[in-house]
Amino acid sequence: MGVAKNSVIGNIKTRRSVREYTDKDVSDEDIKTIIDAGVHAPSGFDNQPWFFVVVKNREMMKRMSDHCKPRLLAQLEDVTDDMVVAFKKELAKEEFSIFYDAPVLIIVLGNNASITADYDCALCAENMMLAAHSMGIGSCWIGTGCFIQDNPEILEELGITPDYRVIAPIVFGYPVEGTRETDKKEPEVVWVR
């Protein structure tokens, strides 16, 4: 089988960040499959430092979004890039959710005792997003969701102890049709032979 027909590479090249979802629920069984794909990622010293919180509660997601939005707006205050300016307008709207009204949020957390947790959990997150895509489920890593780390009340309600930090909040759901591909820049590569 050549690269052109390789299903893994095809899955990687066709995965997109999805920001529009249907109302269809993602089953608990599918969520377990997605998490299982995540835990098969490599990790430094085989520490497997991840911990997962699955949020299907829309009210909790709204509270989390409401907590995170002003923090991101403050960070972006002086940014004048056209795309960022347009995003700030959306972010300022009361009804806008950083989680794009997705039916499920899975937070990948890393154990603070692991020196490679950031890398390990990023690999885990990518496995999860690729697995979801192969199942017809869309996803988007919501970095803004990391701001919940400074809200002890929300952390407690989510069962997150001080031993862990938020690394990859990812939404999952069935995508509305029409997610477009972005152009990929030609990478800079140095060959040493």
Side-chain angles (χ1 to χ4, degrees):
M1 178 189 317
V3 171
K5 296 183 181 181
N6 183 306
S7 62
V8 173
I9 291 174
N11 193 53
I12 291 168
K13 287 187 169 190
T14 57
R15 192 211 65 80
R16 303 281 174 267
S17 293
V18 175
R19 293 178 178 86
E20 283 187 83
Y21 296 91
T22 68
D23 290 333
K24 183 178 177 184
D25 186 38
V26 178
S27 73
D28 289 356
E29 202 56 45
D30 284 346
I31 292 169
K32 289 175 186 174
T33 298
I34 289 166
I35 291 172
D36 184 58
V39 302
H40 281 82
S43 63
F45 309 103
D46 198 24
N47 273 336
Q48 304 175 43
W50 32 70
F51 168 63
F52 305 89
V53 174
V54 178
V55 182
K56 286 184 140 185
N57 182 306
R58 300 276 188 166
E59 179 55 36
M60 173 55 82
M61 282 194 255
K62 180 177 179 352
R63 285 179 50 217
M64 293 167 68
S65 178
D66 289 347
H67 173 78
C68 296
K69 287 192 314 185
R71 284 152 179 79
L72 181 59
L73 276 170
Q75 273 194 349
L76 298 176
E77 185 176 356
D78 297 327
V79 181
T80 58
D81 174 87
D82 288 346
M83 287 185 70
V84 175
V85 168
F87 179 68
K88 287 193 293 187
K89 287 179 184 171
E90 289 299 308
L91 198 57
K93 294 178 182 175
E94 186 179 335
E95 69 276 7
F96 178 79
S97 170
I98 65 167
F99 302 118
Y100 300 105
D101 300 314
V104 64
L105 165 67
I106 302 177
I107 306 169
V108 183
L109 299 110
N111 190 312
N112 290 323
S114 171
I115 61 170
T116 58
D118 289 342
Y119 311 110
D120 301 338
C121 291
L123 290 165
C124 172
E126 180 68 5
N127 268 18
M128 292 168 64
M129 292 185 289
L130 288 170
H133 177 57
S134 76
M135 299 161 66
I137 298 168
S139 64
C140 189
W141 184 323
I142 310 293
T144 309
C146 290
F147 284 117
I148 65 163
Q149 193 72 54
D150 68 8
N151 187 315
E153 183 181 311
I154 287 178
L155 294 179
E156 184 177 347
E157 288 181 54
L158 294 173
I160 299 171
T161 66
D163 299 334
Y164 288 89
R165 67 185 175 280
V166 178
I167 294 176
I170 310 167
V171 291
F172 294 90
Y174 291 92
V176 169
E177 294 301 318
T179 303
R180 67 176 185 83
E181 179 178 359
T182 57
D183 294 330
K184 300 300 177 197
K185 298 175 184 173
E186 191 65 32
E188 294 185 33
V189 180
V190 174
W191 295 80
V192 181
R193 297 179 193 244

